[in-house]
Amino acid sequence: MVIALGDSITAGFGMLSGRPPVASVWEYRGKVFSIGGDLDEAYTLPSFLSVYSSKLTGASYGVSVPLARGKQLNNAVSGAKAQDLDQQVTRLVRQLQKPEYHSHKNDWKLITLFIGANNVCMLCTPPITGLPNIADVDVFDQHVRLTLERLRWEVGHAFVNLVALFNVSSVYEASRGNPYCEMVLDPSHMVICSCLQADDDQRLAADLVVQGYNERLALIAQEYQTLHDPYFAVSYQPGFKSFPVGKYKQRYLSGFDCFHPNRCANQVMATVLWNNMFSNQVEKLQPYHLSNLTFICPNAQRPYFQ
């Protein structure tokens, strides 16, 4: 069984959408790196896993309208922050009670959690008086921990991928020199992430927050490994930190908003995440080149996710 929690990136927002005014804007959940199940030879974790099991459940198919609450067991919601994960887990727990999933209650589940971009983007937005800073690393840490505890006790039999974030500044670099992207990312047209329209100092501050999130994800995963729970495992997957978004400009970003990963990027992300899952802690951190990515496959010495 495959499950995904997260935001618009995991919802597949704008993945295949073109430029206005003729663009059709959907969430392409069937092609998302972590849980897409469309039968068109897309590179996704479910398509890789199907080589080893013909009884995979939970993969998402087709499209959904923006801001949909989820599709199949892809519970990601566009615009979600770490604080919204609790709602996604509540929906997941209800789903798993339904007949089509309840019979798989004790099956192992691969859960991919990829969240935090919207928290980071709030760093460059004036805070609301009296409320905690949504971008605060401690706030992010708290909600990820609460989510994992709910997954452990209310879902169980799970291997959880905690996926690292990439830097906001790299997306800004990818938009430079592209008139359409510079227009779209101008705050007078579309506010996708306020840190993209900020100054260099604020973008640097946003990248430091991303670094803080990733460090906490690594620490949380390490702490869960010390529990030695035979029915629940958590692993930090850092591969996306090395995704050179700025280097490749718009080749890996949505034609609609110049921000969200396009289909090509999702296929690279699926490959990188898959390889991370079968790599040890040192190998996970090794740099990779998009032009010659190869697959790491399970073998007798390393048959399980790591």
Side-chain angles (χ1 to χ4, degrees), residues 37-73:
D38 283 358
L39 302 178
D40 58 358
E41 299 182 357
Y43 282 24
T44 67
L45 292 190
S47 69
F48 299 159
L49 288 167
S50 66
V51 174
Y52 304 96
S53 174
S54 60
K55 300 179 180 179
L56 200 64
T57 59
S60 53
Y61 300 91
V63 301
S64 59
V65 296
L67 300 178
R69 294 180 61 195
K71 191 167 189 186
Q72 285 81 48
L73 295 185

mmCIF file of all heavy atoms in Angstrom, residues 37-73:
data_model
loop_
_atom_site.group_PDB
_atom_site.id
_atom_site.type_symbol
_atom_site.label_atom_id
_atom_site.label_comp_id
_atom_site.label_asym_id
_atom_site.label_seq_id
_atom_site.Cartn_x
_atom_site.Cartn_y
_atom_site.Cartn_z
ATOM 1 N N GLY A 37 -0.238 6.638 -10.108
ATOM 2 C CA GLY A 37 -0.504 5.289 -10.590
ATOM 3 C C GLY A 37 -0.967 5.196 -12.029
ATOM 4 O O GLY A 37 -1.386 4.126 -12.482
ATOM 5 N N ASP A 38 -0.919 6.309 -12.784
ATOM 6 C CA ASP A 38 -1.365 6.266 -14.179
ATOM 7 C C ASP A 38 -0.556 5.241 -14.972
ATOM 8 O O ASP A 38 0.670 5.146 -14.827
ATOM 9 C CB ASP A 38 -1.202 7.646 -14.829
ATOM 10 C CG ASP A 38 -2.302 8.610 -14.405
ATOM 11 O OD1 ASP A 38 -3.206 8.194 -13.652
ATOM 12 O OD2 ASP A 38 -2.247 9.785 -14.825
ATOM 13 N N LEU A 39 -1.242 4.523 -15.823
ATOM 14 C CA LEU A 39 -0.611 3.436 -16.572
ATOM 15 C C LEU A 39 -0.025 3.944 -17.886
ATOM 16 O O LEU A 39 -0.429 3.537 -18.974
ATOM 17 C CB LEU A 39 -1.646 2.328 -16.831
ATOM 18 C CG LEU A 39 -2.288 1.719 -15.583
ATOM 19 C CD1 LEU A 39 -3.333 0.682 -15.963
ATOM 20 C CD2 LEU A 39 -1.209 1.091 -14.703
ATOM 21 N N ASP A 40 0.917 4.849 -17.815
ATOM 22 C CA ASP A 40 1.535 5.382 -19.030
ATOM 23 C C ASP A 40 3.054 5.384 -18.920
ATOM 24 O O ASP A 40 3.728 6.256 -19.468
ATOM 25 C CB ASP A 40 1.025 6.797 -19.316
ATOM 26 C CG ASP A 40 1.286 7.747 -18.155
ATOM 27 O OD1 ASP A 40 1.824 7.294 -17.123
ATOM 28 O OD2 ASP A 40 0.968 8.939 -18.285
ATOM 29 N N GLU A 41 3.573 4.408 -18.203
ATOM 30 C CA GLU A 41 5.015 4.239 -18.046
ATOM 31 C C GLU A 41 5.678 5.427 -17.355
ATOM 32 O O GLU A 41 6.859 5.717 -17.575
ATOM 33 C CB GLU A 41 5.677 3.983 -19.403
ATOM 34 C CG GLU A 41 5.157 2.713 -20.080
ATOM 35 C CD GLU A 41 5.846 2.426 -21.389
ATOM 36 O OE1 GLU A 41 6.684 3.222 -21.809
ATOM 37 O OE2 GLU A 41 5.529 1.395 -22.002
ATOM 38 N N ALA A 42 4.940 6.119 -16.522
ATOM 39 C CA ALA A 42 5.529 7.218 -15.762
ATOM 40 C C ALA A 42 6.474 6.675 -14.704
ATOM 41 O O ALA A 42 6.281 5.579 -14.179
ATOM 42 C CB ALA A 42 4.421 8.045 -15.101
ATOM 43 N N TYR A 43 7.509 7.446 -14.428
ATOM 44 C CA TYR A 43 8.414 7.074 -13.349
ATOM 45 C C TYR A 43 7.801 7.554 -12.036
ATOM 46 O O TYR A 43 7.810 8.751 -11.737
ATOM 47 C CB TYR A 43 9.781 7.737 -13.548
ATOM 48 C CG TYR A 43 10.672 7.104 -14.574
ATOM 49 C CD1 TYR A 43 10.158 6.336 -15.609
ATOM 50 C CD2 TYR A 43 12.039 7.285 -14.522
ATOM 51 C CE1 TYR A 43 10.984 5.755 -16.547
ATOM 52 C CE2 TYR A 43 12.887 6.719 -15.461
ATOM 53 C CZ TYR A 43 12.344 5.957 -16.470
ATOM 54 O OH TYR A 43 13.173 5.378 -17.406
ATOM 55 N N THR A 44 7.274 6.637 -11.259
ATOM 56 C CA THR A 44 6.716 6.933 -9.947
ATOM 57 C C THR A 44 7.053 5.764 -9.029
ATOM 58 O O THR A 44 7.353 4.655 -9.498
ATOM 59 C CB THR A 44 5.187 7.110 -9.996
ATOM 60 O OG1 THR A 44 4.579 5.856 -10.326
ATOM 61 C CG2 THR A 44 4.764 8.167 -11.016
ATOM 62 N N LEU A 45 6.980 5.967 -7.723
ATOM 63 C CA LEU A 45 7.241 4.856 -6.811
ATOM 64 C C LEU A 45 6.286 3.686 -7.054
ATOM 65 O O LEU A 45 6.731 2.533 -7.062
ATOM 66 C CB LEU A 45 7.155 5.328 -5.358
ATOM 67 C CG LEU A 45 8.244 6.301 -4.880
ATOM 68 C CD1 LEU A 45 8.155 6.467 -3.358
ATOM 69 C CD2 LEU A 45 9.633 5.859 -5.270
ATOM 70 N N PRO A 46 4.971 3.922 -7.247
ATOM 71 C CA PRO A 46 4.093 2.780 -7.522
ATOM 72 C C PRO A 46 4.475 2.013 -8.779
ATOM 73 O O PRO A 46 4.390 0.778 -8.802
ATOM 74 C CB PRO A 46 2.706 3.419 -7.650
ATOM 75 C CG PRO A 46 2.774 4.619 -6.783
ATOM 76 C CD PRO A 46 4.174 5.145 -6.984
ATOM 77 N N SER A 47 4.913 2.725 -9.821
ATOM 78 C CA SER A 47 5.294 1.996 -11.044
ATOM 79 C C SER A 47 6.546 1.165 -10.805
ATOM 80 O O SER A 47 6.678 0.060 -11.334
ATOM 81 C CB SER A 47 5.499 2.976 -12.207
ATOM 82 O OG SER A 47 6.649 3.776 -12.019
ATOM 83 N N PHE A 48 7.471 1.653 -9.983
ATOM 84 C CA PHE A 48 8.658 0.865 -9.650
ATOM 85 C C PHE A 48 8.281 -0.347 -8.798
ATOM 86 O O PHE A 48 8.754 -1.465 -9.018
ATOM 87 C CB PHE A 48 9.668 1.716 -8.884
ATOM 88 C CG PHE A 48 10.179 2.922 -9.646
ATOM 89 C CD1 PHE A 48 10.728 3.997 -8.964
ATOM 90 C CD2 PHE A 48 10.117 2.985 -11.024
ATOM 91 C CE1 PHE A 48 11.200 5.109 -9.637
ATOM 92 C CE2 PHE A 48 10.581 4.089 -11.723
ATOM 93 C CZ PHE A 48 11.124 5.160 -11.029
ATOM 94 N N LEU A 49 7.410 -0.108 -7.810
ATOM 95 C CA LEU A 49 7.019 -1.187 -6.901
ATOM 96 C C LEU A 49 6.211 -2.267 -7.605
ATOM 97 O O LEU A 49 6.222 -3.425 -7.187
ATOM 98 C CB LEU A 49 6.213 -0.615 -5.729
ATOM 99 C CG LEU A 49 7.021 0.201 -4.710
ATOM 100 C CD1 LEU A 49 6.080 0.964 -3.786
ATOM 101 C CD2 LEU A 49 7.940 -0.701 -3.893
ATOM 102 N N SER A 50 5.495 -1.889 -8.662
ATOM 103 C CA SER A 50 4.657 -2.864 -9.364
ATOM 104 C C SER A 50 5.486 -3.965 -10.008
ATOM 105 O O SER A 50 4.967 -5.046 -10.329
ATOM 106 C CB SER A 50 3.802 -2.163 -10.422
ATOM 107 O OG SER A 50 4.622 -1.631 -11.462
ATOM 108 N N VAL A 51 6.779 -3.711 -10.206
ATOM 109 C CA VAL A 51 7.666 -4.747 -10.736
ATOM 110 C C VAL A 51 7.784 -5.901 -9.744
ATOM 111 O O VAL A 51 7.953 -7.062 -10.128
ATOM 112 C CB VAL A 51 9.062 -4.150 -11.026
ATOM 113 C CG1 VAL A 51 10.050 -5.242 -11.443
ATOM 114 C CG2 VAL A 51 8.966 -3.071 -12.089
ATOM 115 N N TYR A 52 7.640 -5.578 -8.456
ATOM 116 C CA TYR A 52 7.838 -6.577 -7.404
ATOM 117 C C TYR A 52 6.528 -7.052 -6.782
ATOM 118 O O TYR A 52 6.515 -8.071 -6.099
ATOM 119 C CB TYR A 52 8.729 -5.995 -6.301
ATOM 120 C CG TYR A 52 10.047 -5.491 -6.824
ATOM 121 C CD1 TYR A 52 10.228 -4.141 -7.129
ATOM 122 C CD2 TYR A 52 11.116 -6.356 -7.046
ATOM 123 C CE1 TYR A 52 11.434 -3.674 -7.633
ATOM 124 C CE2 TYR A 52 12.323 -5.903 -7.547
ATOM 125 C CZ TYR A 52 12.476 -4.562 -7.846
ATOM 126 O OH TYR A 52 13.669 -4.108 -8.348
ATOM 127 N N SER A 53 5.435 -6.333 -7.016
ATOM 128 C CA SER A 53 4.146 -6.728 -6.443
ATOM 129 C C SER A 53 3.020 -6.294 -7.363
ATOM 130 O O SER A 53 2.979 -5.143 -7.818
ATOM 131 C CB SER A 53 3.953 -6.082 -5.060
ATOM 132 O OG SER A 53 2.662 -6.350 -4.564
ATOM 133 N N SER A 54 2.114 -7.219 -7.621
ATOM 134 C CA SER A 54 0.959 -6.912 -8.474
ATOM 135 C C SER A 54 -0.273 -6.535 -7.649
ATOM 136 O O SER A 54 -1.345 -6.311 -8.193
ATOM 137 C CB SER A 54 0.622 -8.127 -9.344
ATOM 138 O OG SER A 54 0.312 -9.256 -8.519
ATOM 139 N N LYS A 55 -0.116 -6.451 -6.334
ATOM 140 C CA LYS A 55 -1.255 -6.193 -5.454
ATOM 141 C C LYS A 55 -1.151 -4.853 -4.736
ATOM 142 O O LYS A 55 -1.661 -4.678 -3.639
ATOM 143 C CB LYS A 55 -1.374 -7.318 -4.414
ATOM 144 C CG LYS A 55 -1.587 -8.690 -5.027
ATOM 145 C CD LYS A 55 -1.684 -9.768 -3.955
ATOM 146 C CE LYS A 55 -1.893 -11.144 -4.576
ATOM 147 N NZ LYS A 55 -1.973 -12.212 -3.542
ATOM 148 N N LEU A 56 -0.514 -3.899 -5.385
ATOM 149 C CA LEU A 56 -0.312 -2.597 -4.770
ATOM 150 C C LEU A 56 -1.626 -1.811 -4.733
ATOM 151 O O LEU A 56 -2.359 -1.755 -5.726
ATOM 152 C CB LEU A 56 0.731 -1.812 -5.565
ATOM 153 C CG LEU A 56 1.426 -0.659 -4.857
ATOM 154 C CD1 LEU A 56 2.251 -1.165 -3.683
ATOM 155 C CD2 LEU A 56 2.307 0.096 -5.844
ATOM 156 N N THR A 57 -1.928 -1.184 -3.598
ATOM 157 C CA THR A 57 -3.128 -0.364 -3.458
ATOM 158 C C THR A 57 -2.736 1.045 -3.011
ATOM 159 O O THR A 57 -1.642 1.267 -2.508
ATOM 160 C CB THR A 57 -4.098 -0.953 -2.419
ATOM 161 O OG1 THR A 57 -3.432 -1.035 -1.141
ATOM 162 C CG2 THR A 57 -4.558 -2.335 -2.821
ATOM 163 N N GLY A 58 -3.655 1.990 -3.193
ATOM 164 C CA GLY A 58 -3.475 3.342 -2.693
ATOM 165 C C GLY A 58 -3.004 4.353 -3.701
ATOM 166 O O GLY A 58 -3.139 5.559 -3.480
ATOM 167 N N ALA A 59 -2.417 3.918 -4.827
ATOM 168 C CA ALA A 59 -1.891 4.861 -5.811
ATOM 169 C C ALA A 59 -3.001 5.762 -6.337
ATOM 170 O O ALA A 59 -4.160 5.345 -6.460
ATOM 171 C CB ALA A 59 -1.226 4.107 -6.961
ATOM 172 N N SER A 60 -2.659 7.004 -6.658
ATOM 173 C CA SER A 60 -3.663 7.948 -7.163
ATOM 174 C C SER A 60 -3.636 7.967 -8.690
ATOM 175 O O SER A 60 -2.587 7.796 -9.314
ATOM 176 C CB SER A 60 -3.399 9.349 -6.609
ATOM 177 O OG SER A 60 -2.065 9.766 -6.850
ATOM 178 N N TYR A 61 -4.794 8.204 -9.276
ATOM 179 C CA TYR A 61 -4.958 8.154 -10.728
ATOM 180 C C TYR A 61 -5.614 9.436 -11.237
ATOM 181 O O TYR A 61 -6.409 10.070 -10.533
ATOM 182 C CB TYR A 61 -5.821 6.952 -11.135
ATOM 183 C CG TYR A 61 -5.234 5.625 -10.725
ATOM 184 C CD1 TYR A 61 -5.550 5.057 -9.490
ATOM 185 C CD2 TYR A 61 -4.343 4.956 -11.551
ATOM 186 C CE1 TYR A 61 -5.006 3.847 -9.100
ATOM 187 C CE2 TYR A 61 -3.788 3.744 -11.170
ATOM 188 C CZ TYR A 61 -4.125 3.188 -9.944
ATOM 189 O OH TYR A 61 -3.567 1.995 -9.549
ATOM 190 N N GLY A 62 -5.280 9.791 -12.478
ATOM 191 C CA GLY A 62 -5.959 10.897 -13.131
ATOM 192 C C GLY A 62 -5.648 12.240 -12.512
ATOM 193 O O GLY A 62 -4.557 12.480 -11.990
ATOM 194 N N VAL A 63 -6.643 13.115 -12.570
ATOM 195 C CA VAL A 63 -6.468 14.489 -12.103
ATOM 196 C C VAL A 63 -7.512 14.822 -11.053
ATOM 197 O O VAL A 63 -8.506 14.111 -10.888
ATOM 198 C CB VAL A 63 -6.569 15.500 -13.268
ATOM 199 C CG1 VAL A 63 -5.514 15.213 -14.325
ATOM 200 C CG2 VAL A 63 -7.966 15.467 -13.895
ATOM 201 N N SER A 64 -7.263 15.921 -10.359
ATOM 202 C CA SER A 64 -8.251 16.478 -9.432
ATOM 203 C C SER A 64 -8.252 17.984 -9.621
ATOM 204 O O SER A 64 -7.325 18.558 -10.192
ATOM 205 C CB SER A 64 -7.924 16.103 -7.978
ATOM 206 O OG SER A 64 -6.637 16.588 -7.606
ATOM 207 N N VAL A 65 -9.294 18.624 -9.129
ATOM 208 C CA VAL A 65 -9.348 20.083 -9.210
ATOM 209 C C VAL A 65 -8.434 20.669 -8.140
ATOM 210 O O VAL A 65 -8.215 20.048 -7.097
ATOM 211 C CB VAL A 65 -10.788 20.603 -9.017
ATOM 212 C CG1 VAL A 65 -11.690 20.111 -10.135
ATOM 213 C CG2 VAL A 65 -11.344 20.186 -7.660
ATOM 214 N N PRO A 66 -7.864 21.846 -8.383
ATOM 215 C CA PRO A 66 -7.003 22.455 -7.367
ATOM 216 C C PRO A 66 -7.717 22.597 -6.028
ATOM 217 O O PRO A 66 -8.926 22.869 -5.971
ATOM 218 C CB PRO A 66 -6.678 23.832 -7.971
ATOM 219 C CG PRO A 66 -6.756 23.608 -9.454
ATOM 220 C CD PRO A 66 -7.888 22.638 -9.636
ATOM 221 N N LEU A 67 -6.970 22.355 -4.967
ATOM 222 C CA LEU A 67 -7.445 22.418 -3.581
ATOM 223 C C LEU A 67 -8.309 21.228 -3.187
ATOM 224 O O LEU A 67 -8.960 21.250 -2.139
ATOM 225 C CB LEU A 67 -8.180 23.727 -3.287
ATOM 226 C CG LEU A 67 -7.360 25.010 -3.490
ATOM 227 C CD1 LEU A 67 -8.222 26.238 -3.221
ATOM 228 C CD2 LEU A 67 -6.127 25.010 -2.595
ATOM 229 N N ALA A 68 -8.318 20.171 -4.020
ATOM 230 C CA ALA A 68 -9.040 18.958 -3.632
ATOM 231 C C ALA A 68 -8.421 18.387 -2.363
ATOM 232 O O ALA A 68 -7.235 18.539 -2.107
ATOM 233 C CB ALA A 68 -8.975 17.926 -4.757
ATOM 234 N N ARG A 69 -9.239 17.715 -1.562
ATOM 235 C CA ARG A 69 -8.757 17.177 -0.286
ATOM 236 C C ARG A 69 -7.926 15.919 -0.462
ATOM 237 O O ARG A 69 -7.283 15.451 0.474
ATOM 238 C CB ARG A 69 -9.946 16.903 0.639
ATOM 239 C CG ARG A 69 -10.687 18.152 1.074
ATOM 240 C CD ARG A 69 -11.847 17.814 1.973
ATOM 241 N NE ARG A 69 -11.408 17.139 3.194
ATOM 242 C CZ ARG A 69 -12.219 16.489 4.018
ATOM 243 N NH1 ARG A 69 -13.517 16.406 3.728
ATOM 244 N NH2 ARG A 69 -11.759 15.930 5.110
ATOM 245 N N GLY A 70 -7.942 15.367 -1.660
ATOM 246 C CA GLY A 70 -7.143 14.177 -1.909
ATOM 247 C C GLY A 70 -7.783 13.309 -2.963
ATOM 248 O O GLY A 70 -8.889 13.573 -3.447
ATOM 249 N N LYS A 71 -7.066 12.261 -3.357
ATOM 250 C CA LYS A 71 -7.588 11.292 -4.318
ATOM 251 C C LYS A 71 -6.907 9.966 -4.054
ATOM 252 O O LYS A 71 -5.674 9.903 -3.986
ATOM 253 C CB LYS A 71 -7.340 11.765 -5.752
ATOM 254 C CG LYS A 71 -8.098 10.940 -6.790
ATOM 255 C CD LYS A 71 -8.087 11.603 -8.144
ATOM 256 C CE LYS A 71 -9.050 10.856 -9.059
ATOM 257 N NZ LYS A 71 -9.008 11.341 -10.443
ATOM 258 N N GLN A 72 -7.723 8.885 -3.924
ATOM 259 C CA GLN A 72 -7.211 7.607 -3.439
ATOM 260 C C GLN A 72 -6.446 7.887 -2.137
ATOM 261 O O GLN A 72 -6.938 8.630 -1.305
ATOM 262 C CB GLN A 72 -6.376 6.905 -4.501
ATOM 263 C CG GLN A 72 -7.199 6.263 -5.633
ATOM 264 C CD GLN A 72 -7.618 7.250 -6.700
ATOM 265 O OE1 GLN A 72 -6.832 8.041 -7.201
ATOM 266 N NE2 GLN A 72 -8.893 7.214 -7.071
ATOM 267 N N LEU A 73 -5.253 7.343 -1.968
ATOM 268 C CA LEU A 73 -4.534 7.580 -0.715
ATOM 269 C C LEU A 73 -3.465 8.673 -0.846
ATOM 270 O O LEU A 73 -2.570 8.771 -0.016
ATOM 271 C CB LEU A 73 -3.907 6.280 -0.208
ATOM 272 C CG LEU A 73 -4.906 5.188 0.183
ATOM 273 C CD1 LEU A 73 -4.200 3.993 0.791
ATOM 274 C CD2 LEU A 73 -5.976 5.720 1.145
#
